[in-house]
């Protein structure tokens, strides 16, 4: 499910990568859940999050982890998918995803 290609051990993780990982963990292979937001927004011309385009590989993951309260929109509007993640933030998100439902 991860289309990011090969990475080196010291490469940073970005918010988009964290969202994709967490959403797949939360969905546990449920294809309907994984594509929930693409299906919901298919008829609309734009994404509700301006910096996460409809059709991007992490679109569903971003909307899912934000809607479920695992991750947030840092400025209340944008997701900032290209910002690197620190270990403490990722750990907090991982704990929240593990406790989800």
């Amino acid at each position: 499910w991860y289309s990011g290609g090969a990475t080196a051990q010291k490469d940073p993780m970005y918010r988009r990568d964290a969202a994709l990982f967490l959403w797949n963990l939360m969905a546990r292979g449920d294809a309907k859940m994984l594509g929930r937001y693409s299906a919901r927004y298919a008829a609309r011309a734009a994404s509700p999050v301006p910096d996460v385009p409809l059709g991007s590989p992490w679109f569903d993951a971003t909307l899912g982890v934000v809607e479920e309260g695992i991750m947030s929109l840092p400025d209340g509007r944008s997701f900032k998918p290209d910002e690197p993640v620190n270990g403490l933030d990722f750990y907090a998100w991982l704990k929240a995803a593990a406790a989800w439902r």
Side-chain angles (χ1 to χ4, degrees):
W1 52 264
Y2 180 67
S3 62
T7 58
Q9 187 175 10
K10 293 184 180 192
D11 285 352
M13 173 183 270
Y14 298 99
R15 288 178 55 86
R16 65 178 181 259
D17 302 319
L20 191 59
F21 175 81
L22 295 167
W23 189 238
N24 275 273
L25 179 69
M26 293 164 65
R28 294 181 170 91
D30 180 346
K32 186 175 179 181
M33 181 176 165
L34 289 170
R36 172 188 307 172
Y37 299 97
S38 291
R40 185 181 301 169
Y41 288 92
R44 298 182 186 184
S47 168
V49 180
D51 60 351
V52 179
L54 184 63
S56 72
W58 53 87
F59 176 78
D60 288 283
T62 298
L63 271 60
V65 297
V66 169
E67 185 173 273
E68 296 300 334
I70 307 301
M71 294 176 75
S72 65
L73 300 175
D75 63 2
R77 187 166 193 269
S78 300
F79 185 69
K80 304 188 185 285
D82 297 325
E83 282 191 2
V85 171
N86 69 50
L88 289 176
D89 284 339
F90 184 73
Y91 179 67
W93 299 330
L94 189 57
K95 282 179 53 179
W100 179 75
R101 295 197 188 172

